[in-house]
Amino acid sequence: MLKKNLVKAFSEQVNAEYYSAYLYLVMSAYADRAGFKGAANWLFVQVQEETAHGTHMYRHILERGADPAFADIKTPPSNFRGIKDIFDKVLEHERLVTERINNLASLALRENDHASYNFIMWYVNEQTEEEAGVGDILAKIALADKNPGLLFTLDAELGNRTFVDPFPRTQAD
Ligand code: FEO
């Protein structure tokens, strides 16, 4: 059985993951309308990943015999200033998520809940990858400063990203 403070913390993280999905959906729409179809695709894959994270955490609460708590999902900002601004904000957002995940891991340890700690460690590793991936994109955007043509190459590259469900379920699950 999940302790009350962990139910609260995991429920808040479910909300935060769905907020992330919503934020990336707003960003994807912006990129699409700005003509960066590849970036729009990359951000839409991000929407699918965040939704999978939120659902995975929700299932963890249920599997540990608790009731998830639900709350409003706040409205994401939509005042972006170009593609660099979008990815700067993705990185900024993912750093905040990393902080939240670390806090969740610390709480699980303090509560001696090793199942939750083990569960959240997947996200600790995921955050390292997320931040590194966005850092790579920003490095390429910086290169495009001197050679704007590179932006089109980058956009084509971002268009190749596909969603792979990190937690596929079988009917037996
Ligand atoms: Fe759910 Fe972008 O981490």
Short mmCIF file of all heavy atoms in Angstrom, two decimals, residues 81 83-85 88 137-152 154:
data_model
loop_
_atom_site.label_atom_id
_atom_site.label_comp_id
_atom_site.label_asym_id
_atom_site.label_seq_id
_atom_site.Cartn_x
_atom_site.Cartn_y
_atom_site.Cartn_z
N ARG A 81 8.95 32.92 -29.19
CA ARG A 81 9.64 33.82 -30.13
C ARG A 81 10.59 33.02 -31.02
O ARG A 81 11.79 33.21 -30.98
CB ARG A 81 10.43 34.89 -29.36
CG ARG A 81 9.58 35.78 -28.45
CD ARG A 81 10.45 36.80 -27.72
NE ARG A 81 11.65 36.18 -27.14
CZ ARG A 81 11.68 35.59 -25.93
NH1 ARG A 81 10.61 35.55 -25.18
NH2 ARG A 81 12.80 35.06 -25.49
N ILE A 83 11.96 29.27 -33.05
CA ILE A 83 12.27 27.86 -32.78
C ILE A 83 13.33 27.70 -31.68
O ILE A 83 13.28 26.78 -30.87
CB ILE A 83 12.63 27.14 -34.10
CG1 ILE A 83 12.18 25.70 -34.07
CG2 ILE A 83 14.07 27.30 -34.50
CD1 ILE A 83 10.69 25.54 -34.12
N LYS A 84 14.28 28.64 -31.61
CA LYS A 84 15.29 28.57 -30.55
C LYS A 84 14.63 28.79 -29.19
O LYS A 84 14.92 28.06 -28.22
CB LYS A 84 16.40 29.61 -30.78
CG LYS A 84 17.45 29.58 -29.68
CD LYS A 84 18.53 30.62 -29.86
CE LYS A 84 19.60 30.57 -28.78
NZ LYS A 84 19.11 30.51 -27.43
N ASP A 85 13.72 29.74 -29.14
CA ASP A 85 13.00 30.01 -27.89
C ASP A 85 12.23 28.77 -27.43
O ASP A 85 12.20 28.43 -26.24
CB ASP A 85 12.05 31.19 -28.11
CG ASP A 85 11.37 31.62 -26.82
OD1 ASP A 85 12.06 31.66 -25.77
OD2 ASP A 85 10.16 31.92 -26.85
N ASP A 88 14.78 26.31 -26.03
CA ASP A 88 15.28 26.83 -24.74
C ASP A 88 14.26 26.51 -23.65
O ASP A 88 14.62 26.09 -22.55
CB ASP A 88 15.45 28.36 -24.81
CG ASP A 88 16.77 28.77 -25.44
OD1 ASP A 88 17.71 27.95 -25.43
OD2 ASP A 88 16.86 29.91 -25.96
N ILE A 137 20.01 19.37 -29.66
CA ILE A 137 19.22 20.16 -30.62
C ILE A 137 19.61 21.63 -30.52
O ILE A 137 19.82 22.32 -31.54
CB ILE A 137 17.71 19.96 -30.37
CG1 ILE A 137 17.32 18.51 -30.69
CG2 ILE A 137 16.88 20.94 -31.22
CD1 ILE A 137 15.90 18.13 -30.26
N LEU A 138 19.76 22.12 -29.28
CA LEU A 138 20.13 23.54 -29.10
C LEU A 138 21.52 23.84 -29.66
O LEU A 138 21.77 24.92 -30.20
CB LEU A 138 20.04 23.92 -27.62
CG LEU A 138 18.61 24.22 -27.15
CD1 LEU A 138 18.54 24.27 -25.62
CD2 LEU A 138 18.10 25.53 -27.74
N ALA A 139 22.43 22.86 -29.55
CA ALA A 139 23.78 23.05 -30.11
C ALA A 139 23.69 23.19 -31.63
O ALA A 139 24.39 24.01 -32.24
CB ALA A 139 24.67 21.87 -29.73
N LYS A 140 22.82 22.40 -32.25
CA LYS A 140 22.66 22.48 -33.71
C LYS A 140 21.98 23.80 -34.11
O LYS A 140 22.33 24.39 -35.13
CB LYS A 140 21.86 21.29 -34.23
CG LYS A 140 22.69 20.00 -34.20
CD LYS A 140 21.90 18.79 -34.61
CE LYS A 140 22.76 17.53 -34.50
NZ LYS A 140 21.97 16.31 -34.58
N ILE A 141 21.04 24.25 -33.30
CA ILE A 141 20.39 25.54 -33.59
C ILE A 141 21.43 26.66 -33.50
O ILE A 141 21.42 27.60 -34.31
CB ILE A 141 19.20 25.78 -32.62
CG1 ILE A 141 18.06 24.79 -32.93
CG2 ILE A 141 18.70 27.21 -32.71
CD1 ILE A 141 16.89 24.83 -31.97
N ALA A 142 22.35 26.55 -32.55
CA ALA A 142 23.41 27.58 -32.41
C ALA A 142 24.30 27.60 -33.65
O ALA A 142 24.69 28.66 -34.14
CB ALA A 142 24.23 27.30 -31.15
N LEU A 143 24.60 26.41 -34.20
CA LEU A 143 25.43 26.33 -35.42
C LEU A 143 24.71 27.01 -36.59
O LEU A 143 25.34 27.63 -37.46
CB LEU A 143 25.71 24.87 -35.79
CG LEU A 143 26.74 24.12 -34.95
CD1 LEU A 143 26.82 22.67 -35.40
CD2 LEU A 143 28.11 24.79 -35.06
N ALA A 144 23.38 26.90 -36.60
CA ALA A 144 22.59 27.46 -37.70
C ALA A 144 22.60 28.99 -37.69
O ALA A 144 22.18 29.60 -38.68
CB ALA A 144 21.16 26.93 -37.64
N ASP A 145 23.07 29.56 -36.60
CA ASP A 145 23.19 31.01 -36.51
C ASP A 145 24.07 31.55 -37.64
O ASP A 145 23.77 32.58 -38.25
CB ASP A 145 23.85 31.37 -35.16
CG ASP A 145 22.97 32.30 -34.36
OD1 ASP A 145 21.83 32.52 -34.79
OD2 ASP A 145 23.44 32.80 -33.32
N LYS A 146 25.18 30.82 -37.90
CA LYS A 146 26.13 31.25 -38.94
C LYS A 146 25.77 30.68 -40.29
O LYS A 146 26.25 31.15 -41.32
CB LYS A 146 27.55 30.81 -38.55
CG LYS A 146 28.10 31.57 -37.36
CD LYS A 146 29.61 31.40 -37.24
CE LYS A 146 30.14 32.07 -36.00
NZ LYS A 146 30.27 31.19 -34.85
N ASN A 147 25.00 29.62 -40.29
CA ASN A 147 24.64 28.94 -41.54
C ASN A 147 23.16 28.56 -41.51
O ASN A 147 22.81 27.44 -41.15
CB ASN A 147 25.54 27.69 -41.71
CG ASN A 147 25.28 26.97 -43.01
OD1 ASN A 147 24.36 27.32 -43.76
ND2 ASN A 147 26.07 25.94 -43.28
N PRO A 148 22.26 29.51 -41.83
CA PRO A 148 20.82 29.29 -41.68
C PRO A 148 20.30 28.04 -42.40
O PRO A 148 19.29 27.46 -42.00
CB PRO A 148 20.20 30.56 -42.26
CG PRO A 148 21.28 31.58 -42.20
CD PRO A 148 22.58 30.85 -42.35
N GLY A 149 21.02 27.61 -43.44
CA GLY A 149 20.60 26.41 -44.17
C GLY A 149 20.54 25.19 -43.27
O GLY A 149 19.77 24.25 -43.50
N LEU A 150 21.39 25.21 -42.23
CA LEU A 150 21.43 24.06 -41.30
C LEU A 150 20.10 23.86 -40.57
O LEU A 150 19.80 22.76 -40.13
CB LEU A 150 22.55 24.26 -40.27
CG LEU A 150 23.98 24.07 -40.76
CD1 LEU A 150 24.97 24.33 -39.63
CD2 LEU A 150 24.18 22.65 -41.30
N LEU A 151 19.35 24.94 -40.46
CA LEU A 151 18.06 24.85 -39.77
C LEU A 151 17.10 23.90 -40.51
O LEU A 151 16.34 23.16 -39.89
CB LEU A 151 17.44 26.26 -39.67
CG LEU A 151 16.70 26.62 -38.38
CD1 LEU A 151 17.44 26.19 -37.13
CD2 LEU A 151 16.40 28.11 -38.35
N PHE A 152 17.20 23.92 -41.84
CA PHE A 152 16.34 23.04 -42.64
C PHE A 152 16.79 21.59 -42.50
O PHE A 152 15.98 20.68 -42.45
CB PHE A 152 16.32 23.50 -44.10
CG PHE A 152 15.67 24.84 -44.26
CD1 PHE A 152 16.43 26.00 -44.37
CD2 PHE A 152 14.28 24.95 -44.23
CE1 PHE A 152 15.82 27.24 -44.47
CE2 PHE A 152 13.66 26.19 -44.33
CZ PHE A 152 14.44 27.34 -44.45
N LEU A 154 18.28 20.40 -39.86
CA LEU A 154 17.87 19.99 -38.52
C LEU A 154 16.37 19.67 -38.49
O LEU A 154 15.95 18.67 -37.90
CB LEU A 154 18.19 21.11 -37.51
CG LEU A 154 17.68 20.90 -36.09
CD1 LEU A 154 18.30 19.66 -35.44
CD2 LEU A 154 17.97 22.12 -35.21
#
